[in-house]
Amino acid sequence: MNRSTALRIEAVKSMISDLYEPGRQDRNKRWVWRHAAAPLMGISLRTFSRYVNTPDEDVKKALRPKSDPRQLSLFPEL
């Protein structure tokens, strides 16, 4: 997964946490997609659903900085 995709997934999940209300029929996930995600990001409902169902571990793994063994370090690991 690319870093930009992981950032988009985080943005979608924050929209869900801010706008989605489980008990209300008028604030379901499709409403969040239609009124928040689609106009802002231009993604389809299928992509939105895929982003919502992506495990948090995968997103954190993609956002973790990659270490290059060829890169010298000023402070080597102990």
Side-chain angles (χ1 to χ4, degrees), residues 28-64:
N28 56 16
K29 291 180 183 177
R30 181 174 277 197
W31 183 90
V32 174
W33 166 74
R34 185 178 296 136
H35 290 92
L40 183 65
M41 302 175 131
I43 59 176
S44 67
L45 181 60
R46 184 168 190 257
T47 302
F48 178 79
S49 299
R50 193 167 32 99
Y51 284 178
V52 169
N53 294 324
T54 302
D56 291 333
E57 296 83 28
D58 293 347
V59 175
K60 289 178 184 175
K61 182 180 174 185
L63 292 176
R64 193 174 311 134

